[in-house]
Amino acid sequence: QTPLPKRPRTPSSPSVGKTSGDALVDPLNPDQREAVYHRNGPLLVIAGPGTGKTLTLTHRIAHLTRSKDAAAEQMLALTFTRKAAAEMADRLSALLNAAQSPLVQTVTFHRLCLDILRQKGNRIGLPVDFILCSEIDARDLATDLFLKSGGDKGRLSDFLRRLPALKAQLVLNDLSQTPGPELLQVCREYQRALRDAAMLDMDDLEIEAHRLLREHPDVATHFGKRFQYIFVDEYQDTNPNQVALLKCLVEGGNGEICAIGDADQAIYGFRGADVTHFREFEKDFPGAKRIVLTRNYRSTPAILKGSAALMGKKRALTTDRTDRSPIAIAHLKTVSEEAEMVVAHIERLMGGISHFSFDTGRVEAPQTDLCLGFGDIGILYRLNAQGNALEKALKRRGIPYARSGETPLITRHPADIIWRFFQTLRYPGNPYYEAAYRRLIPVAPDDLSLPGEYEINSPVSDLLEHAIAYHNLIPESEEETRILARLRDLADRCDHNIALFLDALSLERGIDHTLLEGDRVALMSLHAAKGLEWEVTFITGCEDRLLPCSLFDGHDESEERRLFYVGMTRARSRLILSHVDRRAIKGPLRQMNKSPFLDRIPSQLCRPLDRGDWQAKPRAHEQLTLF
């Protein structure tokens, strides 16, 4: 199966959460450029926040291609999200000519593994037309089997978290760390259910691709020779299967690998990532050289010094910025007051967003020398549930916003209906897909089929328009309009291949958050904010038990600190950290203490947030009754 063709490069539309840098500006100094561009053999580039990580990687690819040291079709650039892959492809389009840039394979790990298994998976007994099971369906299936086996609901989240590692042990026949017969048996039943339905889930893609290359060295040589130059973004987020896959490719083709990342930004341990691989890069790829980038192009000195102190670093990243604005700390009483503070401060930053703001004296003039749009402001939090109060406050004030959680496109209307409809047509007789479709469309006809002028191999764009008309999917909001536009764009690129269309949708993951467009305030979790930046960034809920989050079993305080570090370094010019005295989390209202992470930030870098003439509203008088 061939990868999706790339979109033609067009000027980017405004996006919520800007990504840094101009695609044509090389961020390296002359000494670094010499080391990065002309280094032969394995190379690990340590790039802290805002140091031009993606630019460095794309400029190295462009240099090797333009200097004719390597052909564009020998290049493989790997990322973890489709958003990051699209950004890298756009920058390569600006650096290479129109004939070269499409030849560089810029894909996610899952996409690479899917392509490998579509081409050679039959060597390990996989059907060529296996069905890709989405993260959503995989989680539902695993949950159902776990509960039917008599598993305790309290242990469900732990089982789902451990499932990828259990699968790898089973598939790769490595039971050296047996978790217990009960969990292993549920895992076996889950794998059997997938195989009986000719399905692979997202974890299977990496596990089976690794097994294929390990058991068939000729296949490893085939793909290793094809991709002689491998580039990996965010290497600190790799898991054991991904590293094993990379080693097979590099050794099989006697190729080169260049990885870039930052151990201080390793925040996906709960997804199976292991920062140990970053620290052992030289062990995995002997002869590797390390290069450290220390110049930050994003944040002010206070933000850089404060985040460095959080991580216990003696030196902060350097910057040419001279803005001396301190980090603002807001101590509030309640969650409602915190939400009110955020929206009121946004109004002050923007100089007011309505006549009401001026009439009430809420603002008098813009309270910053920055020229801001709504898309320059990000509001972050540790748990998605924290966004509810903030969302209500933004709605009440009429402030445009985009809320991004961990929700994939295929769960959003109308993409969910179209996805399920095409699944039932492409895989007839699959009871799971038909049942899922009928839960969305309970009045659908008994005989699901295409009209006479269509067949399943018709142009996907035609099939899509039929599905839209068949279900009368008239968009009723801006978001639904954007979703349909994305589906039409994807359908155009899939030509007559409906299987490719379904694969692309099933690969969609919540962390991609590719629907964030337009001039709107961003509202999202700290995890979702990775890779984005804003002129003004709020981190709300800076309280113990939330940051670090100790509400769940198996929390890792070191990773929680790295997550807070990632959040702080999303800010370019202003950083506002807020904490409250009382908050309801996982049940009753609790008395909260400020996060110990705040105490790590030197006091000389901070100041209380200036809230103007704000005063707490008096509690409304309530007349007592006799009843």
Side-chain angles (χ1 to χ4, degrees):
Q1 178 155 345
T2 57
L4 284 171
K6 296 180 182 177
R7 297 181 182 87
R9 190 170 190 272
T10 57
S12 298
S13 58
S15 62
V16 177
K18 308 298 190 297
T19 47
S20 62
D22 186 318
L24 300 178
V25 178
D26 189 336
L28 302 180
N29 64 40
D31 291 340
Q32 292 171 333
R33 195 172 297 125
E34 178 69 21
V36 171
Y37 286 0
H38 300 289
R39 165 71 184 173
N40 292 321
L43 176 65
L44 178 66
V45 181
I46 301 174
T51 55
K53 174 173 57 63
T54 304
L55 291 174
T56 299
L57 212 59
T58 51
H59 275 81
R60 176 174 163 88
I61 294 172
H63 171 79
L64 290 172
T65 303
R66 288 193 303 238
S67 65
K68 302 193 185 314
D69 288 339
E73 57 268 26
Q74 292 179 301
M75 307 283 185
L76 172 65
L78 292 167
T79 71
F80 288 88
T81 68
R82 296 201 294 183
K83 182 179 185 299
E87 178 190 344
M88 191 178 295
D90 282 347
R91 287 177 169 167
L92 285 171
S93 295
L95 294 169
L96 297 172
N97 63 46
Q100 290 175 320
S101 62
L103 298 177
V104 179
Q105 287 295 304
T106 309
V107 294
T108 64
F109 272 96
H110 286 122
R111 180 79 238 184
L112 171 68
C113 293
L114 177 61
D115 291 341
I116 288 174
L117 293 176
R118 288 290 190 211
Q119 294 177 50
K120 302 288 186 180
N122 63 312
R123 297 285 296 275
I124 52 173
L126 298 178
V128 175
D129 59 346
F130 64 79
I131 302 171
L132 178 58
C133 184
S134 70
E135 279 190 331
I136 297 167
D137 289 341
R139 184 181 180 89
D140 288 347
L141 177 60
T143 298
D144 184 55
L145 290 172
F146 179 80
L147 295 178
K148 282 182 177 178
S149 72
D152 180 2
K153 282 187 177 180
R155 296 186 61 199
L156 174 60
S157 59
D158 180 59
F159 168 70
L160 294 175
R161 180 177 58 83
R162 299 174 65 181
L163 183 58
L166 293 175
K167 286 162 60 71
Q169 291 176 29
L170 281 176
V171 174
L172 301 174
N173 196 28
D174 176 14
L175 298 178
S176 56
Q177 300 178 355
T178 304
E182 300 87 359
L183 291 184
L184 209 56
Q185 180 59 31
V186 179
C187 183
R188 285 194 174 98
E189 292 175 4
Y190 172 72
Q191 287 296 94
R192 189 179 303 116
L194 286 176
R195 294 303 177 269
D196 288 347
M199 298 174 79
L200 269 67
D201 68 12
M202 302 283 271
D203 295 313
D204 282 328
L205 293 180
E206 295 175 347
I207 295 168
E208 296 289 8
H210 170 207
R211 180 165 74 95
L212 170 64
L213 299 186
R214 189 183 71 173
E215 295 180 1
H216 297 275
D218 61 312
V219 178
T221 299
H222 169 78
F223 286 104
K225 291 293 184 183
R226 178 181 173 187
F227 299 121
Q228 284 278 290
Y229 298 86
I230 299 175
F231 303 83
V232 186
D233 193 13
E234 304 284 11
Y235 192 80
Q236 76 278 352
D237 293 329
T238 52
N239 62 41
N241 282 305
Q242 291 162 347
V243 172
L245 182 79
L246 291 170
K247 291 169 69 175
C248 286
L249 290 173
V250 172
E251 293 168 4
N254 194 27
E256 293 191 3
I257 183 170
C258 172
I260 194 165
D262 179 16
D264 292 333
Q265 296 185 74
I267 61 172
Y268 291 116
F270 69 98
R271 283 184 173 269
D274 187 350
V275 70
T276 303
H277 300 305
F278 187 89
R279 300 184 176 120
E280 295 184 351
F281 184 83
E282 290 94 338
K283 178 181 176 181
D284 290 327
F285 302 98
K289 179 179 176 60
R290 288 192 175 210
I291 295 173
V292 182
L293 307 184
T294 59
R295 184 181 178 189
N296 178 282
Y297 295 87
R298 175 188 298 162
S299 303
T300 62
I303 294 169
L304 294 178
K305 290 177 182 177
S307 56
L310 169 73
M311 300 302 292
K313 293 179 174 294
K314 293 182 179 179
R315 291 185 179 181
L317 296 171
T318 62
T319 180
D320 293 335
R321 297 193 61 173
T322 58
D323 185 341
R324 300 297 172 185
S325 298
I327 297 169
I329 308 291
H331 179 191
L332 309 152
K333 293 182 179 180
T334 66
V335 171
S336 297
E337 185 185 343
E338 180 180 54
E340 172 68 18
M341 175 276 296
V342 170
V343 295
H345 200 68
I346 290 174
E347 286 191 331
R348 297 187 74 208
L349 289 167
M350 300 289 291
I353 61 173
S354 67
H355 292 297
F356 175 77
S357 302
F358 294 96
D359 294 342
T360 59
R362 188 183 300 280
V363 297
E364 297 178 358
Q367 299 298 305
T368 175
D369 54 354
L370 301 173
C371 182
L372 296 176
F374 289 114
D376 294 310
I377 299 171
I379 308 171
L380 310 180
Y381 37 78
R382 178 62 180 86
L383 301 178
N384 278 318
Q386 292 173 247
N388 296 338
L390 294 159
E391 184 175 11
K392 289 179 182 177
L394 292 167
K395 276 184 178 178
R396 191 166 56 246
R397 293 289 178 79
I399 297 175
Y401 70 93
R403 184 171 181 178
S404 172
E406 303 294 316
T407 307
L409 173 68
I410 51 180
T411 65
R412 305 184 189 194
H413 183 79
D416 55 349
I417 292 176
I418 291 172
W419 180 55
R420 292 302 191 189
F421 177 64
F422 283 152
Q423 282 179 323
T424 61
L425 295 178
R426 176 67 177 82
Y427 306 111
N430 185 309
Y432 181 86
Y433 286 152
E434 185 165 332
Y437 172 69
R438 293 191 183 281
R439 281 195 296 271
L440 294 172
I441 309 293
V443 294
D446 292 333
D447 180 23
L448 284 172
S449 60
L450 289 165
E453 66 269 28
Y454 294 100
E455 58 181 28
I456 199 63
N457 294 322
S458 299
V460 179
S461 55
D462 291 349
L463 293 174
L464 177 61
E465 296 307 320
H466 164 69
I468 292 171
Y470 178 77
H471 296 92
N472 195 29
L473 297 176
I474 300 172
E476 297 180 355
S477 66
E478 289 185 16
E479 179 172 323
E480 289 183 9
T481 299
R482 283 191 292 270
I483 288 173
L484 286 177
R486 279 197 62 196
L487 292 173
R488 287 185 169 110
D489 176 55
L490 178 60
D492 287 341
R493 291 186 289 129
C494 289
D495 195 20
H496 289 66
N497 195 334
I498 189 65
L500 188 60
F501 183 80
L502 287 173
D503 278 350
L505 287 179
S506 295
L507 280 171
E508 180 82 36
R509 304 168 73 202
I511 58 174
D512 283 325
H513 54 76
T514 49
L515 286 176
L516 295 176
E517 295 177 346
D519 188 26
R520 299 181 286 169
V521 172
L523 192 62
M524 65 178 69
S525 70
L526 286 161
H527 281 101
K530 180 74 179 296
L532 303 177
E533 62 181 54
W534 297 270
E535 286 291 339
V536 178
T537 302
F538 295 84
I539 303 181
T540 60
C542 297
E543 298 131 31
D544 198 11
R545 289 188 281 191
L546 278 179
L547 282 166
C549 183
S550 57
L551 300 172
F552 308 102
D553 293 336
H555 77 281
D556 182 341
E557 185 158 337
S558 296
E559 183 162 309
E560 291 290 317
R561 182 154 54 109
R562 294 195 295 268
L563 181 61
F564 192 52
Y565 174 76
V566 167
M568 290 181 67
T569 54
R570 299 311 93 195
R572 290 177 58 86
S573 301
R574 302 286 189 274
L575 176 62
I576 300 100
L577 310 176
S578 64
H579 62 98
V580 304
D581 291 333
R582 297 183 299 279
R583 184 184 298 274
I585 47 175
K586 294 192 72 176
L589 194 68
R590 301 169 185 249
Q591 193 69 26
M592 307 297 288
N593 297 315
K594 72 175 181 178
S595 168
F597 294 155
L598 296 182
D599 292 330
R600 289 175 168 267
I601 305 172
S603 57
Q604 63 268 27
L605 299 175
C606 305
R607 64 159 169 74
L609 178 69
D610 178 9
R611 300 186 65 189
D613 297 329
W614 182 89
Q615 292 183 356
K617 294 180 181 178
R619 183 183 297 273
H621 176 72
E622 295 182 7
Q623 176 67 45
L624 298 178
T625 70
L626 297 175
F627 305 101

